């Protein structure tokens, strides 16, 4: 397990060393972080988690759309039909990809189900758009792993909100 985690982090740093991916993550994170702040002002969301959710949305979009598709990929079928798995580094990264975004968005909006539904829809949209733009592969495994991570993050954030409400009600 430790070996898998080490390999996973090496993959992240290797990907970010690509100027296109690193730049996409930074530019997307900064731009959408500002967008999160604007959304917080207009909607009454909590500002800090809104900014963090915007940054993480930029990271998700930057990481998924800044890379180029290898020549060998995506020729046989539009979407590869494979199942849920977290037995490898890339699979685990896909499971973790939406966790910070969903966690922060739930804390910002206080609406776990709405955020969860939006995250699942975003994951599906990313998987459909990637092969159309030649910026990645459509894989059902990525969608399932992203969605599972989003469910865990929404549940954790809902628990944090419930604990906070319970603590403030007890005062």
């Amino acid at each position: 397990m430790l070996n898998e985690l080490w390999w996973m982090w090496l993959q992240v740093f290797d990907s970010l060393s690509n100027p296109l991916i690193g730049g996409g993550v930074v530019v997307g994170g900064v731009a959408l972080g500002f967008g999160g702040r604007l959304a917080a002002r207009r909607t009454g969301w909590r500002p800090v988690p809104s900014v963090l959710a915007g940054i993480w949305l930029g990271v998700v979009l930057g990481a998924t759309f800044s890379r180029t598709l290898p020549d060998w990929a995506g020729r046989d079928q539009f979407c590869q039909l494979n199942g849920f798995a977290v037995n490898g580094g890339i699979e685990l990264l896909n499971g973790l990809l939406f966790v910070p975004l969903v966690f922060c968005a739930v804390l910002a909006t206080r609406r776990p189900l709405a955020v969860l539904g939006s995250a699942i829809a975003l994951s599906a949209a990313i998987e459909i758009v990637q092969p159309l733009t030649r910026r990645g592969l459509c894989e059902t495994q990525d969608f399932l792993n992203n969605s599972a991570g989003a469910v865990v993050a929404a549940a954790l954030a809902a628990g944090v909100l419930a604990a906070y409400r319970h603590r403030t009600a007890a005062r």
Side-chain angles (χ1 to χ4, degrees), residues 52-75:
L52 292 173
I55 290 169
W56 280 107
L57 177 59
V59 169
V60 167
L61 294 175
T64 55
F65 289 116
S66 295
R67 58 194 173 148
T68 56
L69 187 65
D71 290 334
W72 56 266
R75 292 185 187 153

Side-chain angles (χ1 to χ4, degrees), residues 23 26 35 41 48 52 68-70 77-78 111 116 131-132 147 159 165:
V26 170
R41 282 187 185 165
V48 172
L52 292 173
T68 56
L69 187 65
Q77 58 192 25
F78 181 77
R111 299 185 64 202
L116 177 60
L132 296 175
S147 298
R165 280 192 298 268

Side-chain angles (χ1 to χ4, degrees), residues 99-120:
V99 170
L101 166 61
V102 170
F103 187 82
C104 292
V106 168
L107 294 182
T109 64
R110 301 173 205 96
R111 299 185 64 202
L113 292 179
V115 170
L116 177 60
S118 297
I120 290 171

Side-chain angles (χ1 to χ4, degrees), residues 65-154:
F65 289 116
S66 295
R67 58 194 173 148
T68 56
L69 187 65
D71 290 334
W72 56 266
R75 292 185 187 153
D76 298 335
Q77 58 192 25
F78 181 77
C79 194
Q80 296 179 9
L81 303 177
N82 43 18
F84 176 81
V86 289
N87 58 349
I90 297 299
E91 291 83 3
L92 186 57
L93 280 174
N94 272 310
L96 296 173
L97 184 63
F98 277 73
V99 170
L101 166 61
V102 170
F103 187 82
C104 292
V106 168
L107 294 182
T109 64
R110 301 173 205 96
R111 299 185 64 202
L113 292 179
V115 170
L116 177 60
S118 297
I120 290 171
L122 176 62
S123 178
I126 287 170
E127 292 305 318
I128 291 169
V129 171
Q130 278 182 326
L132 296 175
T133 60
R134 301 210 30 90
R135 293 292 180 188
L137 296 171
C138 173
E139 291 187 68
T140 56
Q141 183 179 74
D142 291 353
F143 169 73
L144 294 171
N145 290 5
N146 294 159
S147 298
V151 168
V152 169

